[in-house]
Amino acid sequence: MKNFNEKLAKWNHALPSTEAGINNIQIPGQVEHLVWQNRSRAPSQYELDFVQHLMQAFNQDVTELDALTDALNLQGFRTIAGDLWTAESFSAEMQRLGY
């Protein structure tokens, strides 16, 4: 099983692709259905760790943004730059990751 959509990775850029579309992403009747259809790459170790720390916080009934950033900091999980989490840095990271 593929870990990400290789065809998506080829045209997922800031500028629209001139090649995306018919016969590139799908060929009618020959569509390969992928588990990770709209993931252009496999997640990094940082992203996988981020998910685990978020799950740990959510399992402790953390639901508010400030409490979430506090929980991440208390767990010892830092931003990709190694900084403590703030509401602003968390929001920026969610936007960067596309979630």
Side-chain angles (χ1 to χ4, degrees):
M1 175 174 53
K2 293 182 182 173
N3 213 6
F4 62 94
N5 186 341
E6 295 168 355
K7 289 189 177 187
L8 181 61
K10 293 177 186 174
W11 65 269
N12 191 14
H13 302 287
L15 297 175
S17 173
T18 59
E19 300 173 11
I22 295 175
N23 295 330
N24 189 22
I25 300 301
Q26 296 182 20
I27 299 173
Q30 298 178 18
V31 178
E32 179 183 6
H33 295 286
L34 304 171
V35 174
W36 305 107
Q37 186 68 33
N38 49 347
R39 188 162 79 177
S40 61
R41 61 174 175 75
S44 68
Q45 189 59 53
Y46 165 79
E47 292 166 339
L48 294 171
D49 292 344
F50 197 1
V51 169
Q52 292 303 312
H53 285 90
L54 288 172
M55 288 173 50
Q56 184 176 343
F58 295 147
N59 284 335
Q60 296 171 352
D61 295 323
V62 173
T63 59
E64 299 298 321
L65 181 56
D66 288 335
L68 181 58
T69 57
D70 289 344
L72 292 172
N73 291 330
L74 285 173
Q75 292 174 32
F77 184 69
R78 300 294 183 253
T79 68
I80 199 162
D83 300 324
L84 291 173
W85 289 99
T86 64
E88 293 79 18
S89 65
F90 182 86
S91 297
E93 188 66 344
M94 289 294 100
Q95 184 174 10
R96 182 185 77 82
L97 293 173
Y99 305 109

